[in-house]
Amino acid sequence: NLDRKTRKRIFKELKNCFSKFVAIYFDTPLDICLERNEMRARVVPRHIIENMAKKLEKPTIQEGFSGVFTISSNLITTKAREE
């Protein structure tokens, strides 16, 4: 889910099914995404990946997530809501 607006809609739709939501965010630079895409059997057109990268909004605790886990090529970070 690329943006806050979409995630907010999903939270509303699923709030009666789940009490907590966590986000797992893969923080991968665009150049690496494009490089990996070229190695796939079914390549996604470059402009589509670039457009998605422009629209991407990193998830935050303030959106209502119980935790946000960021996975990057060199480290993993965690942010959790204090309860």
Side-chain angles (χ1 to χ4, degrees), residues 29-42:
L30 178 58
D31 59 330
I32 293 175
C33 291
L34 293 169
E35 182 181 305
R36 289 177 181 171
N37 181 54
E38 293 300 321
M39 294 185 273
R40 299 180 66 208
R42 201 174 124 239

Side-chain angles (χ1 to χ4, degrees), residues 2-3 7-8 11-12 15-16 18-21 23 28 31 33 39 41-42 48 55 58 61 69 82:
L2 291 175
D3 58 70
R7 293 189 292 263
K8 184 176 181 178
F11 279 170
K12 284 183 180 181
K15 70 180 177 183
N16 293 327
F18 302 98
S19 61
K20 293 183 179 185
F21 294 92
T28 307
D31 59 330
C33 291
M39 294 185 273
R42 201 174 124 239
I48 292 176
K55 294 176 184 178
K58 184 177 178 178
I61 290 289
F69 302 89
E82 292 186 26

Side-chain angles (χ1 to χ4, degrees), residues 10-75:
I10 292 170
F11 279 170
K12 284 183 180 181
E13 291 176 10
L14 298 176
K15 70 180 177 183
N16 293 327
C17 299
F18 302 98
S19 61
K20 293 183 179 185
F21 294 92
V22 296
I24 301 173
Y25 175 70
F26 292 88
D27 188 12
T28 307
L30 178 58
D31 59 330
I32 293 175
C33 291
L34 293 169
E35 182 181 305
R36 289 177 181 171
N37 181 54
E38 293 300 321
M39 294 185 273
R40 299 180 66 208
R42 201 174 124 239
V43 175
V44 175
R46 182 184 182 101
H47 73 276
I48 292 176
I49 295 173
E50 290 171 339
N51 288 339
M52 290 180 74
K54 288 177 189 173
K55 294 176 184 178
L56 180 64
E57 296 174 322
K58 184 177 178 178
T60 65
I61 290 289
Q62 291 75 21
E63 292 178 62
F65 288 107
S66 298
V68 176
F69 302 89
T70 301
I71 301 171
S72 66
S73 56
N74 56 2
L75 68 119

